[in-house]
């Protein structure tokens, strides 16, 4: 009997926890604002401009969620999170979604009480050195001092890389990426390492960025994407399909500029996607024009990428793995049907 009481008691705790975590969609609607946890400021991903308006690939994911849930992509409150606190803030419910250059890994997927909804950017860890060193390969860095941001997968990856290649190194850990790049810039370390996309961004932020080179090797897989609390599958679905809608929109040729005109399209896929035919938003707890609002107010995935990360942006990062699957990349979304 006591054993059964323990079992039922544990089940009740789990049920009450799940119930407490459920209903994020209703809470966001009642609040009238989406709370988005993001990074303090990384060009291309999340960075406020001179007017305090946030922009970037991670920001656009949050804007897409706000557009589809609240009808207005501007109804987002951004909270800057450091690497060590970001997961606890999601777990506690202080933010509705974490969209902060966060790597999806097995341990994070299974031990933090989080649910990773999608991969918005396929990345990999790289290393940056001074051009004057004449280094052409990361395998020539034996004995180097390495600036690294603490509380990230970066620390483990760099340790694995040097161990696998039988090289010694000296890690120098910092609380933030900004502190790490400043130390690297002033010569405290020989190397600065983080995700390749972030290295492009940090190189823009330093005065003598032209003196640094990003080495060609990627030493890890870093699938980046948004995370939400476990226990609310309905909310996780909304965040997932906000990204998938942007990818599908690009594949269908829908843009923020032509989506109104495409409401008259005879293409059955476009009609379903925009809610002209059927009501596929119902399964998400949304209105039938949920995807239209994302495309109209935020744009498709390619628009977001080109604006913040692409060759015409200050970062100048080729699409590569982040191109559509039909163009040789890895961005692939389930169909809206």
């Amino acid at each position: 009997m006591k054993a059964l009481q323990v079992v039922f008691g544990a089940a009740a705790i789990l049920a009450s926890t799940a119930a407490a975590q459920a209903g994020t969609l209703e809470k966001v609607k009642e609040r009238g604002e989406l709370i988005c946890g993001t990074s303090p400021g990384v060009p291309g991903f999340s960075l406020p401009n001179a007017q305090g308006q946030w922009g970037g690939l991670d920001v656009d994911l949050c804007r897409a969620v706000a557009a589809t849930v609240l009808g207005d992509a501007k109804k987002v409150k951004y909270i800057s999170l450091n690497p060590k606190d970001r997961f606890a803030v999601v777990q506690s419910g202080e933010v509705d979604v974490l969209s902060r250059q966060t790597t999806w890994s097995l341990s994070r997927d299974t031990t933090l009480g989080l649910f990773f909804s999608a991969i918005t950017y396929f990345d990999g860890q790289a290393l940056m050195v001074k051009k004057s060193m004449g280094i052409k390969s990361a395998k020539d860095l034996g004995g180097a001092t390495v600036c690294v941001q603490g509380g990230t997968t970066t620390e483990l990856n760099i340790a694995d890389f040097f161990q696998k290649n039988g090289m010694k190194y000296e890690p120098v850990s910092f609380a933030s990426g900004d502190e790490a790049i400043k130390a690297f810039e002033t010569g405290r370390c020989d190397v600065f390492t983080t995700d390749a996309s972030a290295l492009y961004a940090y190189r823009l932020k330093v005065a003598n960025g032209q003196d640094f080179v990003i080495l060609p090797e990627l030493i890890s897989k870093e699938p980046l994407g948004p995370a939400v609390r476990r226990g609310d599958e309905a909310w996780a679905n909304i965040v997932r399909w906000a990204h998938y809608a942007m990818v599908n929109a690009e594949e269908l040729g829908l843009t923020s500029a032509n989506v109104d005109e495409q409401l008259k399209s005879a293409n059955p896929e476009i009609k379903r996607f925009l809610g002209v035919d059927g009501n596929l938003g119902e399964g998400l707890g949304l209105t039938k024009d949920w995807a239209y609002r994302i495309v109209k107010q935020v744009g498709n995935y390619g628009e977001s990428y080109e604006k913040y990360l692409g060759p015409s942006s200050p970062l100048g990062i080729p699409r590569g793995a982040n191109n559509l699957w039909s163009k040789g990349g890895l961005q692939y979304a389930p169909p809206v049907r």
Side-chain angles (χ1 to χ4, degrees):
M1 180 64 70
K2 288 184 178 180
L4 287 174
Q5 288 175 342
V6 170
V7 171
F8 286 128
I13 292 173
L14 290 174
S16 63
T17 300
Q21 291 184 349
T24 307
L25 173 59
E26 290 73 21
K27 291 177 182 177
V28 171
K29 285 183 175 179
E30 182 179 354
R31 188 192 306 129
E33 183 179 57
L34 177 77
I35 302 178
C36 175
T38 191
S39 60
V42 177
F45 288 88
S46 56
L47 186 70
N49 60 20
Q51 290 74 43
Q53 298 171 329
W54 286 79
L57 195 71
D58 285 343
V59 168
D60 272 4
L61 186 280
C62 290
R63 294 178 65 237
V65 174
T68 195
V69 170
L70 300 171
D72 189 345
K74 296 178 181 179
K75 291 184 177 180
V76 185
K77 177 181 179 180
Y78 299 98
I79 296 181
S80 299
L81 302 174
N82 64 46
K84 292 183 179 180
D85 296 336
R86 55 183 161 170
F87 300 127
V89 173
V90 182
Q91 294 162 349
S92 67
E94 294 176 60
V95 301
D96 303 311
V97 58
L98 176 70
S99 187
R100 191 203 178 282
Q101 283 185 295
T102 300
T103 298
W104 184 352
S105 68
L106 173 63
S107 60
R108 289 176 174 177
D109 202 30
T110 57
T111 64
L112 296 177
L114 302 181
F115 186 93
F116 284 82
S117 297
I119 299 174
T120 54
Y121 190 88
F122 292 91
D123 209 350
Q125 188 171 326
L127 298 92
M128 185 162 66
V129 299
K130 294 179 176 64
K131 287 182 181 179
S132 59
M133 293 176 66
I135 299 293
K136 302 298 182 182
S137 170
K139 294 182 179 181
D140 297 329
L141 290 172
T145 54
V146 181
C147 284
V148 61
Q149 185 176 3
T152 66
T153 55
T154 307
E155 291 179 300
L156 176 61
N157 293 336
I158 198 66
D160 286 350
F161 173 77
F162 276 91
Q163 182 178 353
K164 285 188 296 186
N165 288 283
M167 300 187 300
K168 294 183 178 181
Y169 80 110
E170 180 184 347
V172 184
S173 181
F174 297 88
S176 70
D178 286 338
E179 291 177 354
I181 187 64
K182 287 178 182 177
F184 169 69
E185 186 182 10
T186 57
R188 184 172 176 184
C189 306
D190 302 311
V191 181
F192 175 43
T193 183
T194 187
D195 294 347
S197 59
L199 288 181
Y200 279 96
Y202 281 121
R203 192 166 62 172
L204 284 178
K205 298 173 72 172
V206 298
N208 55 337
Q210 69 280 358
D211 295 335
F212 304 143
V213 60
I214 299 170
L215 298 178
E217 296 99 333
L218 292 180
I219 68 172
S220 72
K221 294 186 295 183
E222 304 296 332
L224 309 180
V228 299
R229 289 177 298 156
R230 284 194 179 274
D232 192 345
E233 293 183 4
W235 181 248
N237 279 338
I238 289 172
V239 174
R240 178 192 299 114
W241 279 96
H243 169 66
Y244 286 159
M246 294 179 72
V247 175
N248 273 312
E250 182 180 7
E251 188 172 347
L252 291 170
L254 300 173
T255 69
S256 55
N258 72 14
V259 69
D260 284 333
E261 179 184 348
Q262 290 298 316
L263 288 170
K264 304 174 185 178
S265 173
N267 184 326
E269 287 185 273
I270 292 177
K271 293 172 73 174
R272 284 194 300 269
F273 182 84
L274 297 178
V276 175
D277 277 354
N279 184 9
L280 291 174
E282 187 175 14
L284 292 169
L286 304 171
T287 58
K288 63 182 182 179
D289 60 345
W290 66 279
Y292 163 82
R293 293 196 297 274
I294 292 176
V295 182
K296 179 63 177 178
Q297 297 183 37
V298 183
N300 66 39
Y301 181 82
E303 287 183 271
S304 182
Y305 189 99
E306 292 303 320
K307 180 178 180 179
Y308 296 111
L309 299 168
S312 60
S313 75
L315 270 70
I317 305 176
R319 282 287 293 265
N322 290 289
N323 217 329
L324 294 178
W325 66 279
S326 56
K327 296 182 179 179
L330 298 176
Q331 286 295 348
Y332 184 103
V336 179
R337 64 167 182 259

